[in-house]
Coordinates of all heavy atoms in Angstrom, one line a residue:
E1 N -4.6 39.4 56.1 CA -3.9 40.3 56.9 C -2.4 40.0 56.9 O -2.0 38.9 56.6 CB -4.4 40.1 58.5 CG -5.8 40.4 58.7 CD -6.9 39.4 58.2 OE1 -6.5 38.2 58.0 OE2 -8.0 39.7 58.0
R2 N -1.6 41.0 57.3 CA -0.2 40.9 57.2 C 0.3 40.7 58.7 O -0.2 41.3 59.6 CB 0.4 42.3 56.7 CG 0.3 42.4 55.2 CD 0.7 43.7 54.8 NE 0.6 44.0 53.3 CZ 1.7 43.7 52.4 NH1 2.8 43.2 52.8 NH2 1.3 44.0 51.1
L3 N 1.4 39.9 58.8 CA 2.1 39.8 60.1 C 3.5 40.1 60.0 O 4.3 39.4 59.2 CB 1.8 38.3 60.6 CG 2.5 38.0 61.9 CD1 1.7 38.8 63.0 CD2 2.5 36.6 62.3
S4 N 4.0 41.0 60.7 CA 5.3 41.4 60.8 C 5.9 40.6 62.0 O 5.4 40.9 63.1 CB 5.5 43.0 61.0 OG 6.9 43.3 61.1
M5 N 6.9 39.9 61.8 CA 7.5 39.1 62.9 C 9.0 39.1 62.9 O 9.7 39.0 61.9 CB 7.1 37.6 62.6 CG 7.4 36.6 63.5 SD 6.8 34.9 63.3 CE 7.6 34.3 61.7
K6 N 9.4 39.2 64.2 CA 10.9 39.2 64.5 C 11.0 38.3 65.7 O 10.5 38.6 66.8 CB 11.6 40.4 64.6 CG 13.0 40.4 64.7 CD 13.6 41.9 64.6 CE 15.1 41.8 64.7 NZ 15.7 43.1 64.6
I7 N 11.9 37.3 65.7 CA 12.1 36.4 66.9 C 13.6 36.2 67.0 O 14.2 35.9 66.0 CB 11.3 35.1 66.7 CG1 9.8 35.2 66.5 CG2 11.6 34.2 68.0 CD1 9.1 34.0 66.3
L8 N 14.0 36.3 68.2 CA 15.6 36.1 68.5 C 15.6 34.9 69.4 O 15.2 34.9 70.6 CB 16.2 37.4 69.1 CG 17.7 37.2 69.4 CD1 18.5 36.9 68.0 CD2 18.2 38.4 70.1
D9 N 16.2 33.8 69.0 CA 16.4 32.6 69.8 C 17.7 32.8 70.6 O 18.6 33.6 70.3 CB 16.4 31.3 69.0 CG 17.5 31.5 67.7 OD1 17.6 32.5 67.2 OD2 18.2 30.4 67.5
Q10 N 17.8 32.0 71.6 CA 19.0 32.2 72.6 C 20.2 31.4 72.1 O 20.1 30.6 71.1 CB 18.6 31.7 74.0 CG 17.3 32.4 74.5 CD 17.5 33.9 74.7 OE1 18.6 34.3 74.9 NE2 16.4 34.6 74.7
G11 N 21.3 31.5 72.8 CA 22.5 30.8 72.5 C 23.4 31.4 71.3 O 22.9 32.5 70.8
K12 N 24.3 30.7 70.9 CA 25.2 31.2 69.8 C 25.2 30.3 68.7 O 24.8 29.1 68.7 CB 26.6 31.6 70.4 CG 26.6 32.8 71.5 CD 28.0 33.0 71.8 CE 28.1 34.1 73.0 NZ 27.5 35.4 72.3
T13 N 25.8 30.8 67.6 CA 25.9 30.0 66.4 C 27.2 28.9 66.6 O 27.8 29.0 67.6 CB 26.3 30.8 65.1 OG1 27.6 31.3 65.2 CG2 25.3 31.9 65.0
G14 N 27.4 28.0 65.7 CA 28.4 27.0 65.8 C 29.8 27.8 65.8 O 30.8 27.1 66.3
K15 N 29.9 29.0 65.2 CA 31.2 29.7 65.4 C 31.3 30.6 66.5 O 32.2 31.4 66.4 CB 31.3 30.5 64.0 CG 31.3 29.6 62.8 CD 31.5 30.5 61.5 CE 31.5 29.6 60.3 NZ 31.6 30.4 59.0
G16 N 30.3 30.5 67.5 CA 30.4 31.4 68.5 C 29.8 32.8 68.4 O 30.0 33.7 69.3
E17 N 29.1 33.1 67.2 CA 28.7 34.3 67.0 C 27.3 34.5 67.4 O 26.6 33.4 67.7 CB 28.7 34.6 65.5 CG 30.1 34.6 64.9 CD 30.2 34.5 63.3 OE1 29.1 34.5 62.8 OE2 31.3 34.7 62.8
E18 N 26.7 35.7 67.5 CA 25.3 35.9 67.9 C 24.4 35.6 66.7 O 24.7 35.7 65.6 CB 25.0 37.5 68.2 CG 25.8 38.0 69.5 CD 25.3 37.2 70.8 OE1 24.1 36.9 70.8 OE2 26.0 37.1 71.7
K19 N 23.3 35.0 67.1 CA 22.3 34.5 66.0 C 21.5 35.8 65.6 O 21.3 36.7 66.3 CB 21.3 33.5 66.7 CG 21.9 32.2 67.0 CD 21.0 31.3 67.6 CE 21.6 29.9 68.0 NZ 20.6 29.0 68.6
K20 N 21.0 35.7 64.3 CA 20.2 36.8 63.7 C 18.8 36.5 63.9 O 17.9 37.4 63.8 CB 20.5 36.8 62.2 CG 22.0 37.3 61.9 CD 22.3 37.4 60.5 CE 23.7 37.8 60.1 NZ 24.1 37.9 58.8
G21 N 18.3 35.3 64.3 CA 17.0 35.0 64.5 C 16.2 35.0 63.3 O 16.7 35.1 62.1
L22 N 14.8 35.0 63.4 CA 13.9 35.1 62.2 C 13.5 36.6 62.1 O 12.9 37.2 63.1 CB 12.6 34.3 62.5 CG 12.9 32.7 62.6 CD1 11.5 32.1 62.8 CD2 13.6 32.2 61.2
D23 N 13.7 37.1 61.0 CA 13.2 38.5 60.7 C 12.4 38.7 59.5 O 12.9 38.5 58.4 CB 14.6 39.3 60.7 CG 14.3 40.9 60.7 OD1 13.1 41.2 60.5 OD2 15.2 41.7 60.7
F24 N 11.1 38.9 59.6 CA 10.2 39.2 58.6 C 9.4 40.4 58.8 O 8.2 40.6 58.7 CB 9.1 38.0 58.4 CG 9.8 36.7 58.2 CD1 10.1 35.8 59.1 CD2 10.1 36.3 56.9 CE1 10.7 34.6 58.9 CE2 10.7 35.2 56.6 CZ 11.0 34.3 57.5
T25 N 10.3 41.6 59.2 CA 9.7 42.9 59.4 C 9.6 43.8 58.3 O 9.0 44.8 58.2 CB 10.5 43.6 60.5 OG1 11.9 43.5 60.2 CG2 10.3 42.8 61.8
E26 N 10.5 43.4 57.2 CA 10.4 44.2 55.9 C 9.0 44.1 55.3 O 8.5 42.9 55.3 CB 11.5 43.8 55.0 CG 12.9 44.3 55.3 CD 13.0 45.8 55.2 OE1 12.4 46.4 54.4 OE2 13.8 46.2 56.2
P27 N 8.4 45.1 54.9 CA 7.0 45.0 54.4 C 6.8 43.9 53.3 O 5.8 43.2 53.2 CB 6.7 46.4 53.8 CG 7.6 47.3 54.6 CD 8.7 46.5 54.9
K28 N 7.8 43.8 52.4 CA 7.8 42.9 51.3 C 7.9 41.3 51.8 O 7.6 40.5 51.0 CB 8.8 43.1 50.2 CG 8.5 44.4 49.4 CD 9.5 44.6 48.3 CE 9.2 45.9 47.5 NZ 10.1 46.0 46.4
Q29 N 8.4 41.2 53.0 CA 8.7 39.9 53.5 C 7.7 39.5 54.6 O 7.8 38.5 55.3 CB 10.2 39.8 54.1 CG 11.2 40.1 53.1 CD 12.6 40.1 53.6 OE1 12.9 39.4 54.7 NE2 13.4 40.8 52.9
N30 N 6.7 40.4 54.9 CA 5.7 40.0 55.9 C 4.9 38.8 55.4 O 4.8 38.5 54.3 CB 4.7 41.2 56.0 CG 5.3 42.3 56.7 OD1 4.7 43.4 56.7 ND2 6.5 42.2 57.3
F31 N 4.5 38.1 56.5 CA 3.7 36.9 56.2 C 2.2 37.4 56.0 O 1.8 38.4 56.3 CB 3.7 35.9 57.5 CG 4.8 35.0 57.6 CD1 5.8 35.3 58.3 CD2 4.9 33.9 56.7 CE1 6.9 34.3 58.5 CE2 5.9 33.0 56.7 CZ 6.9 33.3 57.7
I32 N 1.4 36.6 55.2 CA 0.1 36.8 54.9 C -0.8 35.8 55.5 O -0.4 34.5 55.5 CB -0.3 36.8 53.4 CG1 0.6 37.8 52.7 CG2 -1.7 37.0 53.1 CD1 0.3 39.3 53.0
V33 N -1.9 36.1 56.2 CA -2.9 35.2 56.8 C -3.6 34.5 55.7 O -4.4 35.1 55.2 CB -3.8 35.8 57.8 CG1 -4.7 34.9 58.4 CG2 -2.9 36.5 59.0
S34 N -3.4 33.2 55.5 CA -4.2 32.4 54.5 C -5.4 31.9 55.0 O -6.5 31.7 54.3 CB -3.3 31.2 53.9 OG -3.0 30.3 55.0
S35 N -5.5 31.5 56.3 CA -6.7 31.1 56.9 C -6.6 31.1 58.5 O -5.5 31.3 59.1 CB -7.1 29.6 56.5 OG -6.0 28.8 57.1
I36 N -7.8 31.2 59.1 CA -7.9 31.3 60.6 C -8.7 30.0 61.0 O -9.8 29.8 60.7 CB -8.6 32.5 61.2 CG1 -7.9 33.8 60.5 CG2 -8.6 32.6 62.6 CD1 -8.6 34.3 59.3
T37 N -8.1 29.1 61.8 CA -8.6 27.9 62.2 C -8.7 27.7 63.8 O -8.0 28.6 64.5 CB -8.1 26.7 61.7 OG1 -6.6 26.7 61.9 CG2 -8.1 26.8 60.1
D38 N -9.2 26.7 64.2 CA -9.3 26.3 65.7 C -9.8 27.6 66.5 O -9.2 27.9 67.5 CB -8.0 26.0 66.2 CG -7.4 24.7 65.5 OD1 -8.2 24.0 64.9 OD2 -6.3 24.3 65.7
V39 N -10.9 28.2 66.0 CA -11.3 29.4 66.7 C -12.3 29.0 67.9 O -13.2 28.3 67.7 CB -12.2 30.3 65.8 CG1 -12.6 31.5 66.5 CG2 -11.3 30.8 64.6
I40 N -11.9 29.3 69.1 CA -12.7 29.0 70.3 C -13.1 30.2 71.0 O -12.2 30.9 71.5 CB -12.0 28.0 71.2 CG1 -11.5 26.8 70.5 CG2 -12.8 27.6 72.5 CD1 -10.6 25.7 71.4
S41 N -14.3 30.6 71.1 CA -14.7 31.8 71.8 C -15.4 31.6 73.1 O -16.4 30.6 73.2 CB -15.6 32.6 70.9 OG -15.0 33.0 69.7
Q42 N -14.9 32.2 74.1 CA -15.6 32.0 75.5 C -16.0 33.3 76.0 O -15.7 34.4 75.3 CB -14.6 31.3 76.4 CG -14.1 29.9 76.0 CD -13.1 29.2 76.8 OE1 -12.2 30.0 77.4 NE2 -13.0 28.0 76.9
S43 N -16.6 33.5 77.2 CA -17.0 34.7 77.7 C -16.0 35.7 78.0 O -16.2 36.9 77.8 CB -17.8 34.4 79.0 OG -17.1 33.8 79.9
E44 N -14.7 35.2 78.3 CA -13.8 36.2 78.7 C -12.4 36.1 77.9 O -11.5 37.0 78.0 CB -13.4 35.9 80.2 CG -14.4 36.2 81.2 CD -13.9 36.0 82.5 OE1 -12.8 35.5 82.7 OE2 -14.8 36.3 83.5
R45 N -12.4 35.1 76.9 CA -11.2 35.0 76.1 C -11.6 34.2 74.8 O -12.5 33.6 74.7 CB -10.1 34.4 76.9 CG -10.2 32.9 77.2 CD -9.0 32.4 77.7 NE -9.0 31.0 77.9 CZ -8.0 30.1 78.1 NH1 -6.8 30.7 78.4 NH2 -8.2 28.9 78.2
E46 N -10.7 34.3 73.9 CA -10.7 33.5 72.6 C -9.4 33.0 72.1 O -8.3 33.6 72.6 CB -11.4 34.4 71.5 CG -10.5 35.5 71.1 CD -11.0 36.3 70.0 OE1 -12.2 36.1 69.6 OE2 -10.3 37.3 69.4
T47 N -9.3 31.9 71.5 CA -8.1 31.5 70.9 C -8.3 31.1 69.6 O -9.5 30.7 69.1 CB -7.7 30.1 71.8 OG1 -8.6 29.0 71.4 CG2 -7.6 30.3 73.2

C-alpha cells in the first residue's frame, strides 16, 4: 500500500525561518508498506 505523508513540526529553523517539515505527498515520493506487524484486534478497536 502507498502512504502519502506530510508533517509540520513546530518552532523555527536556526536562521529564524519557518520549517518545511516532512513532505512525501508527491506520488513518486510516497512511502510503501513493506510489512504490517504488532496487529492486535479487539472487539471495538484494533492496533
Side-chain angles (χ1 to χ4, degrees):
E1 294 77 18
R2 290 176 182 262
L3 179 69
S4 176
M5 181 171 70
K6 187 175 183 180
I7 304 173
L8 181 62
D9 52 323
Q10 306 296 336
K12 296 183 181 295
T13 67
K15 297 181 180 180
E17 302 170 350
E18 295 294 332
K19 295 178 182 176
K20 297 180 181 179
L22 298 179
D23 189 351
F24 297 96
T25 54
E26 288 293 325
K28 292 184 178 180
Q29 298 176 27
N30 289 168
F31 279 104
I32 302 295
V33 177
S34 63
S35 65
I36 307 98
T37 57
D38 297 350
V39 181
I40 302 175
S41 298
Q42 299 174 333
S43 58
E44 296 182 353
R45 69 172 187 172
E46 67 180 4
T47 64

